[in-house]
Amino acid sequence: MSYKKLCILQVTPSEPTLEHVELFSNNKFSDFHFVTHDQQHSSALEFCPNTTWTDTRNVLANKVPKIYEYYGFIDYDYILRPLGDKNALEQIIYDLQKFNPAVLTYYPGNGMTTPFANNLSYRDSKEYSVLPFSHCGLKIIHH
């Protein structure tokens, strides 16, 4: 069976994050799916009122086709900031190929509670994230 590389899944109050939709939707590497919890949306896989993040994550995991090598759960307010010259999708694909089949997260920088988040010189001294397993803003798992 031939797998597409990545499926990005988002839980959002009423509509998906435009940047995430544009970056991950329907291209040769990835697709994007989402559910909402506060308001219905015509493109959502499901409207999930009165649910927890875990409930909606499981709805997403159950409803998407099983044709992907990796599944990534991303928060709607998560900002992707690649460190090098690649865009966020290119960097994620590169990292997944290098560390296959590791569970990876994308280094978020600002807003993360850790001494490394604001220490840019330390962060930039490393080729890869110093926090690869610690953040739930984007969690990518192997199929």
Side-chain angles (χ1 to χ4, degrees):
M1 174 179 223
S2 177
Y3 286 101
K4 205 168 195 180
K5 193 70 166 178
L6 180 63
C7 180
I8 295 293
L9 306 167
Q10 185 175 93
V11 175
T12 184
S14 59
E15 60 186 59
T17 307
L18 183 58
E19 178 187 355
H20 298 164
V21 172
E22 290 173 349
L23 187 63
F24 298 115
S25 286
N26 197 26
N27 63 61
K28 72 178 188 173
F29 295 109
S30 65
D31 288 322
F32 180 89
H33 299 283
F34 69 101
V35 296
T36 60
H37 52 74
D38 288 353
Q39 190 175 10
Q40 291 188 11
H41 189 285
S42 61
S43 298
L45 288 177
E46 190 167 314
F47 176 51
C48 305
N50 305 312
T51 55
T52 66
W53 185 87
T54 302
D55 294 329
T56 51
R57 179 195 61 199
N58 290 337
V59 167
L60 281 164
N62 286 329
K63 288 202 167 246
V64 297
K66 305 306 185 261
I67 58 170
Y68 302 97
E69 189 174 349
Y70 291 94
Y71 294 83
F73 297 93
I74 191 168
D75 289 351
Y76 68 93
D77 57 353
Y78 196 70
I79 298 170
L80 296 161
R81 296 183 346 176
L83 299 179
D85 58 354
K86 295 173 178 58
N87 73 29
L89 177 58
E90 292 167 340
Q91 186 65 56
I92 291 168
I93 297 298
Y94 177 83
D95 291 347
L96 290 172
Q97 289 171 334
K98 185 159 180 83
F99 294 107
N100 180 25
V103 175
L104 300 174
T105 59
Y106 196 86
Y107 188 83
N110 295 339
M112 190 169 179
T113 307
T114 170
F116 302 120
N118 294 322
N119 186 342
L120 299 182
S121 62
Y122 180 80
R123 183 200 71 187
D124 293 344
S125 73
K126 308 298 178 195
E127 183 180 359
Y128 297 97
S129 172
V130 295
L131 303 166
F133 305 105
S134 63
H135 199 269
C136 290
L138 174 59
K139 187 63 75 177
I140 299 175
I141 58 171
H142 193 247
H143 68 86

